[in-house]
Amino acid sequence: MHSSVTDEPAPALAEEPPDTGPRDQQRHRLTSLQGLAALSLDAMASIAYGPEAIVLVLAAAGAHGLGFTLPVTLAIAGLLAVLVASYRQVIAAFPGGGGSYGVARAHLGRRTSLVAAASLILDYVLNVAVSVTAGVAALTSAFPALYGDRVWLCLGVLVLVTAVNLRGIVDSAKAFLLPTAVFVGSILTLITVGLFRDGPVSEASAAGHASALGDDATTVGALLLLKAFASGCSALTGVEAVANAVPSFRSPAPKRAQRTEVALGALLGVMLIGLSVLIGRFHLQPVEGVTVLAQLADASLGHNWGFYVVQFATVVLLALAANTSFGGLPVLMSLLARDNYLPHAFALKADRQVHRHGVLALAAVSAALLLFSGGDVNTLVPLFAIGVFVGFTICQVGMVVHWRAERGPRWRAKAALNGFGALLTGVSAVVVTATKFTAGAWLIVLALPLLVLAFGRVHAAYDRIGRGLGLGRIPDCPHRDRSLVLVPVAGLSRLTSEALTAAGSLGDEVLAVTVTHDEEPDRLAAQALRRDWELWSPGVDLVELPSATRAVGRPIAAYARHLSAGDPALRVTVLIPEVEPPHVWQRLLHNQRGSVVAHAVRKSSDAVVCRLRFRLPPE
């Protein structure tokens, strides 16, 4: 059952975009170049830690093991080509976005699609935390005095990225276009210059640092290569983001998204292979405290301004790589909300075509992770990349089923390509999970089924609401019942008059009610109100509701229940008049009695609650 529940809260409905023309809507969507800046930062930033992950694993086999850096990287580049080709087909087949979730929902069933969605959500959330902490870690490495404030720096970067994305994905793409261009340009320059070097021009960055090279191993086993391959595959995170966010592109969205996916794959592949070639050319070894990318920049460009440009661009891009999640996850959450697996508020868009609730939810969970980890990237890295491999595998298997069902031209070759990709990503998922299980990956193994279970609970709740509302069935014809409006009053004023006038427009009968207490001041106030009411003679009876306590809301709710029980055909409405002063701070001066009454009536009666705002004019 696909339906929207009609009792969404007013603030969420208020975010529905105004009626705008197609041209205005297209203005808030991405071009291919903007999509590359907005959705590729995660993948681009992985250049900073992907090759290093390979080198650190192979270093356990000594210098001989480092010789396999390029073959392992070529295998990863081959997998990248398979993934790009696959997701290019996913974009064409599922232009509504969702990536692996959309594929699995169409071809692998509900349960598998929810596993895919849960894996993507976990990966996107972890990407934000890992990217921000890695960027801040790079910054504190350059400026050690900031290390003690790393948590606040992480939260500050997160607030900045969130604020930019709340203005819309196009604004975020424009803001991050320059840092992306500087990073890509600096890495390509580093590679180009390095290919013309016979040896490293400088080794200043690694001087004085202890080597991380293993001395006790001279052979390279298949398990070590497999582990290096799985670790290096962290460079592939973010490849699926474009397919998840197809609706964010300008028309024709699928073609623009396909071009962005191909450009991302080409740039990422060239940079991965180029850096691996330079690692072998310069015979680099991992050292403690200095990244492999920093050593490459030093060896290729020298320890000069070019070196610092690469480092600064890396810091900025790592910190902003979280933007990939802000571009892809809210779209995925909107699809889940439309399928009744998440609250419907996540499907709403603000006036800048941004899923504001998804952006804020992602920021909140990421902030919690940053506080939990204390801003330490090493605490989060073992949790990273597992979810994305699960999503990769499910997507590839789903596309195999898609080609078999479609049986179009060359469907066997396409299915074989996706099947091979599913095998590679599936093996990588198993290896990464097994090797990082004790380091924290068990949290992901636990969180994945819990998230799927939560999806099921939300869906079941919407099913119950739908059955209660009779969604999908023709309801009984509307009819008119006798209506009675209760107006709580505490004294005579313009507010009282406005409330009784509005009540007379709403119902057949109107009653004013006031809650009285036994204490002397309250008894005198009740007598004065009764006397003034008789003198005023508004044509509406005043009913006194005695209360032994100081409660105001419960006596009114009990009276509403009493009226409904006495006449089941009677529709009771409680109209609560409230003053709204011209300045926000002045609202703090009021006793909030209207909110207390509204809560009590809504909680313990079936009466309709209406709140009349009486706006005072500015002086």
Side-chain angles (χ1 to χ4, degrees), residues 595-608:
S595 298
V596 173
V597 174
H599 175 73
V601 172
R602 186 180 295 113
K603 180 181 179 181
S604 58
S605 78
D606 293 329
V608 177

Side-chain angles (χ1 to χ4, degrees), residues 82 84-94 103 107-108 258 395-420:
V82 172
V84 169
S86 174
Y87 277 106
R88 192 172 181 275
Q89 299 300 325
V90 171
I91 291 169
F94 299 90
V103 175
H107 297 297
L108 300 178
Q258 284 180 324
C395 185
Q396 300 278 333
V397 173
M399 289 305 294
V400 172
V401 177
H402 174 76
W403 297 130
R404 290 187 60 186
E406 189 180 72
R407 292 186 178 271
R410 301 177 57 195
W411 73 269
R412 295 182 185 276
K414 296 176 180 178
L417 181 65
N418 290 127
F420 181 63

Side-chain angles (χ1 to χ4, degrees), residues 489-491 514-531 542 544-552 591 593:
V489 297
T514 183
V515 180
T516 61
H517 307 287
D518 293 334
E519 296 182 8
E520 185 67 22
D522 298 312
R523 188 165 54 249
L524 294 176
Q527 292 173 357
L529 175 60
R530 189 184 314 113
R531 182 179 60 252
L542 176 65
E544 296 184 17
L545 304 176
S547 174
T549 65
R550 306 298 299 178
V552 176
N591 56 23
R593 183 175 296 176

Side-chain angles (χ1 to χ4, degrees), residues 88-449:
R88 192 172 181 275
Q89 299 300 325
V90 171
I91 291 169
F94 299 90
S100 58
Y101 170 68
V103 175
R105 180 181 56 179
H107 297 297
L108 300 178
R110 183 180 69 90
R111 183 71 64 180
T112 305
S113 69
L114 295 181
V115 173
S119 66
L120 285 174
I121 288 176
L122 291 173
D123 182 67
Y124 274 139
V125 172
L126 284 167
N127 171 59
V128 174
V130 169
S131 299
V132 170
T133 52
V136 171
L139 180 64
T140 55
S141 297
F143 302 98
L146 298 176
Y147 184 78
D149 298 321
R150 63 190 183 280
V151 174
W152 293 109
L153 290 172
C154 288
L155 293 176
V157 172
L158 179 62
V159 169
L160 173 65
V161 177
T162 303
V164 172
N165 277 275
L166 286 174
R167 291 188 53 82
I169 193 170
V170 171
D171 284 347
S172 70
K174 291 178 180 178
F176 301 149
L177 188 59
L178 180 60
T180 304
V182 171
F183 178 79
V184 173
S186 62
I187 295 298
L188 292 179
T189 301
L190 182 158
I191 294 172
T192 303
V193 173
L195 290 176
F196 288 95
R197 303 281 192 192
D198 294 328
V201 66
S202 171
E203 296 179 346
S205 61
H209 292 268
S211 173
L213 195 65
D215 298 323
D216 57 346
T218 57
T219 60
V220 180
L223 183 60
L224 185 68
L225 291 176
L226 196 60
K227 185 177 179 181
F229 173 81
S231 297
C233 279
S234 61
L236 303 181
T237 57
V239 172
E240 78 290 348
V242 177
N244 290 336
V246 178
S248 299
F249 285 85
R250 293 182 184 178
S251 181
K255 290 189 177 298
R256 290 184 185 273
Q258 284 180 324
R259 286 197 290 267
T260 302
E261 186 73 54
V262 171
L264 170 60
L267 284 173
L268 187 58
V270 168
M271 290 190 290
L272 281 174
I273 295 174
L275 293 178
S276 295
V277 169
L278 293 185
I279 289 173
R281 177 182 286 265
F282 296 144
H283 304 289
L284 291 185
Q285 300 177 1
V287 297
E288 297 178 1
V290 181
T291 65
V292 169
L293 185 61
Q295 292 186 67
L296 287 174
D298 202 12
S300 179
L301 303 176
H303 205 75
N304 49 33
W305 63 268
F307 169 83
Y308 289 103
V309 167
V310 173
Q311 292 304 102
F312 180 74
T314 303
V315 169
V316 173
L317 203 76
L318 277 169
L320 300 181
N323 194 68
T324 298
S325 295
F326 283 97
L329 181 57
V331 176
L332 174 62
M333 295 177 73
S334 73
L335 295 177
L336 287 166
R338 291 172 186 173
D339 291 340
N340 294 332
Y341 292 112
L342 283 179
H344 288 170
F346 291 114
L348 300 179
K349 285 186 178 181
D351 55 358
R352 289 178 173 267
Q353 299 297 305
V354 58
H355 296 283
R356 182 172 297 167
H357 291 88
V359 171
L360 292 175
L362 174 58
V365 177
S366 301
L369 276 176
L370 292 174
L371 292 173
F372 166 76
S373 66
D376 182 18
V377 67
N378 293 324
T379 304
L380 297 169
V381 166
L383 312 179
F384 193 43
I386 297 174
V388 74
F389 283 119
V390 174
F392 281 162
T393 305
I394 291 175
C395 185
Q396 300 278 333
V397 173
M399 289 305 294
V400 172
V401 177
H402 174 76
W403 297 130
R404 290 187 60 186
E406 189 180 72
R407 292 186 178 271
R410 301 177 57 195
W411 73 269
R412 295 182 185 276
K414 296 176 180 178
L417 181 65
N418 290 127
F420 181 63
L423 177 64
L424 291 180
T425 54
V427 169
S428 299
V430 172
V431 172
V432 171
T433 303
T435 55
K436 297 181 178 181
F437 188 83
T438 57
W442 62 269
L443 285 173
I444 303 301
V445 176
L446 179 63
L448 195 62

Side-chain angles (χ1 to χ4, degrees), residues 542-564:
L542 176 65
V543 178
E544 296 184 17
L545 304 176
S547 174
T549 65
R550 306 298 299 178
V552 176
R554 286 196 294 271
I556 297 175
Y559 186 60
R561 288 200 309 272
H562 170 72
L563 293 173
S564 298

